[in-house]
Short mmCIF file of all heavy atoms in Angstrom, two decimals:
data_model
loop_
_atom_site.label_atom_id
_atom_site.label_comp_id
_atom_site.label_asym_id
_atom_site.label_seq_id
_atom_site.Cartn_x
_atom_site.Cartn_y
_atom_site.Cartn_z
N ILE T 1332 10.77 -2.81 6.77
CA ILE T 1332 11.46 -3.97 6.26
C ILE T 1332 10.82 -5.32 6.54
O ILE T 1332 10.71 -6.18 5.69
CB ILE T 1332 12.94 -3.98 6.74
CG1 ILE T 1332 13.81 -3.05 6.16
CG2 ILE T 1332 13.62 -5.43 6.48
CD1 ILE T 1332 15.25 -2.78 6.82
N GLU T 1333 10.18 -5.41 7.76
CA GLU T 1333 9.53 -6.59 8.15
C GLU T 1333 8.08 -6.83 7.21
O GLU T 1333 7.90 -7.83 6.80
CB GLU T 1333 9.09 -6.58 9.55
CG GLU T 1333 8.23 -7.88 10.01
CD GLU T 1333 8.86 -9.15 9.77
OE1 GLU T 1333 10.23 -9.21 9.64
OE2 GLU T 1333 8.19 -9.99 9.58
N ARG T 1334 7.57 -5.71 6.92
CA ARG T 1334 6.39 -5.66 6.11
C ARG T 1334 6.78 -6.07 4.61
O ARG T 1334 6.09 -6.82 4.11
CB ARG T 1334 5.70 -4.28 6.01
CG ARG T 1334 4.35 -4.21 5.45
CD ARG T 1334 3.26 -5.05 6.15
NE ARG T 1334 2.99 -4.38 7.38
CZ ARG T 1334 2.27 -3.27 7.67
NH1 ARG T 1334 1.65 -2.70 6.57
NH2 ARG T 1334 2.10 -3.01 8.80
N ALA T 1335 7.97 -5.50 4.24
CA ALA T 1335 8.43 -5.95 2.79
C ALA T 1335 8.81 -7.37 2.80
O ALA T 1335 8.43 -8.10 1.81
CB ALA T 1335 9.60 -5.13 2.38
N ARG T 1336 9.42 -7.92 3.87
CA ARG T 1336 9.69 -9.41 3.88
C ARG T 1336 8.46 -10.26 3.84
O ARG T 1336 8.41 -11.28 3.18
CB ARG T 1336 10.48 -9.68 5.23
CG ARG T 1336 11.94 -9.25 5.19
CD ARG T 1336 12.66 -9.49 6.40
NE ARG T 1336 14.09 -9.10 6.31
CZ ARG T 1336 14.77 -8.78 7.46
NH1 ARG T 1336 14.21 -8.72 8.60
NH2 ARG T 1336 16.05 -8.36 7.24
N GLN T 1337 7.39 -9.82 4.67
CA GLN T 1337 6.18 -10.44 4.64
C GLN T 1337 5.42 -10.51 3.24
O GLN T 1337 4.99 -11.58 2.79
CB GLN T 1337 5.13 -9.97 5.72
CG GLN T 1337 5.54 -10.03 7.04
CD GLN T 1337 4.68 -9.12 7.97
OE1 GLN T 1337 3.62 -8.58 7.56
NE2 GLN T 1337 4.85 -9.21 9.27
N ALA T 1338 5.54 -9.34 2.58
CA ALA T 1338 5.04 -9.31 1.29
C ALA T 1338 5.68 -10.22 0.19
O ALA T 1338 5.00 -11.01 -0.52
CB ALA T 1338 5.08 -7.82 0.78
N ALA T 1339 7.01 -10.23 0.33
CA ALA T 1339 7.82 -11.10 -0.53
C ALA T 1339 7.56 -12.52 -0.24
O ALA T 1339 7.48 -13.30 -1.27
CB ALA T 1339 9.33 -10.77 -0.32
N SER T 1340 7.47 -12.90 1.02
CA SER T 1340 7.19 -14.32 1.39
C SER T 1340 5.93 -14.86 0.92
O SER T 1340 5.75 -16.13 0.62
CB SER T 1340 7.37 -14.45 2.86
OG SER T 1340 6.28 -13.88 3.49
N ARG T 1341 4.98 -13.99 0.74
CA ARG T 1341 3.66 -14.50 0.21
C ARG T 1341 3.43 -14.19 -1.33
O ARG T 1341 2.35 -14.35 -1.79
CB ARG T 1341 2.45 -13.82 1.09
CG ARG T 1341 2.55 -12.31 1.18
CD ARG T 1341 1.50 -11.81 2.17
NE ARG T 1341 0.15 -12.09 1.76
CZ ARG T 1341 -0.50 -11.41 0.84
NH1 ARG T 1341 0.15 -10.22 0.29
NH2 ARG T 1341 -1.77 -11.62 0.41
N GLY T 1342 4.46 -13.88 -1.92
CA GLY T 1342 4.47 -13.71 -3.29
C GLY T 1342 3.79 -12.49 -3.88
O GLY T 1342 3.37 -12.39 -5.05
N ALA T 1343 3.75 -11.37 -3.11
CA ALA T 1343 3.15 -10.17 -3.54
C ALA T 1343 4.21 -9.62 -4.75
O ALA T 1343 5.28 -9.65 -4.64
CB ALA T 1343 3.18 -9.15 -2.34
N THR T 1344 3.43 -8.97 -5.56
CA THR T 1344 4.10 -8.28 -6.81
C THR T 1344 4.17 -6.75 -6.54
O THR T 1344 4.86 -6.06 -7.40
CB THR T 1344 3.38 -8.60 -8.10
OG1 THR T 1344 2.11 -8.06 -8.21
CG2 THR T 1344 3.40 -10.18 -8.44
N GLU T 1345 3.26 -6.32 -5.69
CA GLU T 1345 3.25 -4.90 -5.37
C GLU T 1345 3.09 -4.45 -4.01
O GLU T 1345 2.33 -5.07 -3.21
CB GLU T 1345 2.05 -4.41 -6.22
CG GLU T 1345 1.51 -2.84 -5.98
CD GLU T 1345 0.17 -2.55 -6.54
OE1 GLU T 1345 0.14 -2.51 -7.78
OE2 GLU T 1345 -0.72 -2.37 -5.73
N MET T 1346 3.71 -3.32 -3.61
CA MET T 1346 3.38 -2.67 -2.32
C MET T 1346 2.78 -1.40 -2.66
O MET T 1346 3.38 -0.49 -3.40
CB MET T 1346 4.64 -2.61 -1.48
CG MET T 1346 5.03 -4.00 -0.91
SD MET T 1346 6.32 -3.91 0.29
CE MET T 1346 5.41 -3.47 1.76
N HIS T 1347 1.62 -1.03 -2.02
CA HIS T 1347 1.02 0.17 -2.21
C HIS T 1347 1.13 1.02 -1.09
O HIS T 1347 0.67 0.69 -0.04
CB HIS T 1347 -0.53 -0.17 -2.50
CG HIS T 1347 -1.40 0.88 -2.64
ND1 HIS T 1347 -2.25 1.19 -3.88
CD2 HIS T 1347 -1.81 2.13 -1.89
CE1 HIS T 1347 -2.97 2.17 -3.76
NE2 HIS T 1347 -2.69 2.85 -2.66
N ILE T 1348 1.76 2.29 -1.18
CA ILE T 1348 2.21 3.01 -0.02
C ILE T 1348 1.48 4.39 -0.11
O ILE T 1348 1.62 5.17 -1.03
CB ILE T 1348 3.72 3.34 -0.07
CG1 ILE T 1348 4.50 1.99 -0.14
CG2 ILE T 1348 4.01 4.03 1.19
CD1 ILE T 1348 5.94 2.23 -0.33
N VAL T 1349 0.60 4.71 0.69
CA VAL T 1349 0.01 6.03 0.95
C VAL T 1349 -0.09 6.29 2.56
O VAL T 1349 -0.07 5.35 3.27
CB VAL T 1349 -1.37 6.11 0.18
CG1 VAL T 1349 -1.23 6.02 -1.18
CG2 VAL T 1349 -2.42 5.07 0.93
N GLY T 1350 -0.24 7.59 2.93
CA GLY T 1350 -0.33 7.73 4.40
C GLY T 1350 -0.54 9.15 4.66
O GLY T 1350 -0.87 10.02 3.80
N GLY T 1351 -0.30 9.49 5.89
CA GLY T 1351 -0.46 10.97 6.36
C GLY T 1351 0.86 11.69 5.97
O GLY T 1351 1.83 11.21 5.62
N LEU T 1352 0.51 13.05 6.12
CA LEU T 1352 1.69 14.07 5.93
C LEU T 1352 2.14 14.57 7.24
O LEU T 1352 1.47 15.49 7.72
CB LEU T 1352 1.28 15.10 4.90
CG LEU T 1352 0.75 14.59 3.63
CD1 LEU T 1352 0.02 15.65 2.74
CD2 LEU T 1352 1.98 14.03 2.77
N HIS T 1353 3.15 14.05 7.81
CA HIS T 1353 3.52 14.22 9.14
C HIS T 1353 4.26 15.67 9.14
O HIS T 1353 4.98 15.96 8.33
CB HIS T 1353 4.54 13.09 9.49
CG HIS T 1353 4.67 13.06 11.01
ND1 HIS T 1353 5.37 14.06 11.68
CD2 HIS T 1353 4.43 11.93 11.89
CE1 HIS T 1353 5.47 13.57 12.98
NE2 HIS T 1353 4.84 12.36 13.09
N HIS T 1354 3.82 16.30 10.24
CA HIS T 1354 4.33 17.68 10.56
C HIS T 1354 5.85 17.72 10.60
O HIS T 1354 6.51 18.78 10.21
CB HIS T 1354 3.69 18.24 11.90
CG HIS T 1354 2.29 18.12 11.94
ND1 HIS T 1354 1.61 17.00 11.85
CD2 HIS T 1354 1.45 19.10 12.17
CE1 HIS T 1354 0.38 17.29 12.02
NE2 HIS T 1354 0.09 18.53 12.15
N LYS T 1355 6.46 16.71 11.18
CA LYS T 1355 7.92 16.73 11.56
C LYS T 1355 8.81 15.72 10.61
O LYS T 1355 9.90 15.77 10.86
CB LYS T 1355 8.11 16.45 12.99
CG LYS T 1355 7.39 17.40 13.89
CD LYS T 1355 7.75 17.14 15.36
CE LYS T 1355 7.18 18.31 16.16
NZ LYS T 1355 7.43 17.99 17.69
N LEU T 1356 8.18 14.99 9.75
CA LEU T 1356 8.97 14.17 8.92
C LEU T 1356 9.51 14.81 7.70
O LEU T 1356 8.74 15.71 7.17
CB LEU T 1356 8.16 12.84 8.48
CG LEU T 1356 7.78 11.90 9.67
CD1 LEU T 1356 6.97 10.77 9.08
CD2 LEU T 1356 9.16 11.39 10.26
N LYS T 1357 10.64 14.62 7.38
CA LYS T 1357 11.35 15.25 6.08
C LYS T 1357 11.02 14.29 4.94
O LYS T 1357 10.74 13.15 5.06
CB LYS T 1357 12.77 15.46 6.30
CG LYS T 1357 13.01 16.32 7.47
CD LYS T 1357 12.47 17.77 7.41
CE LYS T 1357 12.84 18.55 8.75
NZ LYS T 1357 12.13 19.84 8.77
N LEU T 1358 11.27 14.83 3.72
CA LEU T 1358 11.17 14.05 2.55
C LEU T 1358 12.13 12.75 2.52
O LEU T 1358 11.65 11.73 1.99
CB LEU T 1358 11.63 14.95 1.24
CG LEU T 1358 11.68 14.17 -0.04
CD1 LEU T 1358 10.25 13.62 -0.44
CD2 LEU T 1358 12.06 15.15 -1.20
N ASP T 1359 13.31 12.87 3.24
CA ASP T 1359 14.13 11.72 3.28
C ASP T 1359 13.53 10.54 3.84
O ASP T 1359 13.78 9.45 3.45
CB ASP T 1359 15.33 12.08 4.17
CG ASP T 1359 16.30 13.10 3.41
OD1 ASP T 1359 16.22 13.21 2.14
OD2 ASP T 1359 17.26 13.56 4.08
N TYR T 1360 12.69 10.80 4.76
CA TYR T 1360 11.92 9.50 5.47
C TYR T 1360 11.12 8.82 4.45
O TYR T 1360 11.17 7.62 4.23
CB TYR T 1360 11.03 9.97 6.61
CG TYR T 1360 10.13 8.81 7.07
CD1 TYR T 1360 10.52 7.89 7.92
CD2 TYR T 1360 8.84 8.93 6.69
CE1 TYR T 1360 9.67 6.94 8.32
CE2 TYR T 1360 7.94 7.87 7.14
CZ TYR T 1360 8.39 6.93 7.94
OH TYR T 1360 7.57 5.89 8.31
N TYR T 1361 10.34 9.64 3.66
CA TYR T 1361 9.57 9.06 2.68
C TYR T 1361 10.32 8.43 1.50
O TYR T 1361 9.84 7.34 0.98
CB TYR T 1361 8.51 10.09 2.11
CG TYR T 1361 7.58 10.62 3.21
CD1 TYR T 1361 7.88 11.87 3.76
CD2 TYR T 1361 6.38 9.97 3.44
CE1 TYR T 1361 6.93 12.23 4.78
CE2 TYR T 1361 5.50 10.47 4.41
CZ TYR T 1361 5.77 11.65 5.05
OH TYR T 1361 5.03 12.05 5.99
N ILE T 1362 11.40 8.97 1.13
CA ILE T 1362 12.25 8.31 0.14
C ILE T 1362 12.87 7.01 0.81
O ILE T 1362 12.93 6.00 0.05
CB ILE T 1362 13.34 9.24 -0.30
CG1 ILE T 1362 12.77 10.43 -1.01
CG2 ILE T 1362 14.44 8.52 -1.07
CD1 ILE T 1362 13.79 11.47 -1.43
N ASP T 1363 13.27 7.06 2.00
CA ASP T 1363 13.89 5.94 2.68
C ASP T 1363 12.80 4.73 2.67
O ASP T 1363 13.27 3.62 2.57
CB ASP T 1363 14.30 6.18 4.09
CG ASP T 1363 15.63 6.92 4.07
OD1 ASP T 1363 16.26 6.96 3.13
OD2 ASP T 1363 15.91 7.58 5.12
N VAL T 1364 11.53 4.93 2.94
CA VAL T 1364 10.56 3.95 2.97
C VAL T 1364 10.62 3.26 1.59
O VAL T 1364 10.53 1.88 1.62
CB VAL T 1364 9.18 4.53 3.17
CG1 VAL T 1364 8.12 3.42 2.89
CG2 VAL T 1364 8.92 4.96 4.67
#
């Protein structure tokens, strides 16, 4: 949320999300992001 606030405050039009495939994280986490 803090990263999203920072992006909005500086006028970003896009957030680009990629990362690792964590052994213990479920799909719900990635959807929640």
Side-chain angles (χ1 to χ4, degrees):
I1332 287 174
E1333 178 57 28
R1334 190 68 63 81
R1336 285 176 178 155
Q1337 291 174 6
S1340 70
R1341 53 189 295 279
T1344 63
E1345 170 191 290
M1346 291 193 75
H1347 178 120
I1348 309 174
V1349 296
L1352 297 168
H1353 197 293
H1354 309 58
K1355 297 186 177 180
L1356 291 177
K1357 305 298 183 185
L1358 174 60
D1359 286 349
Y1360 169 79
Y1361 295 95
I1362 292 174
D1363 283 342
V1364 168

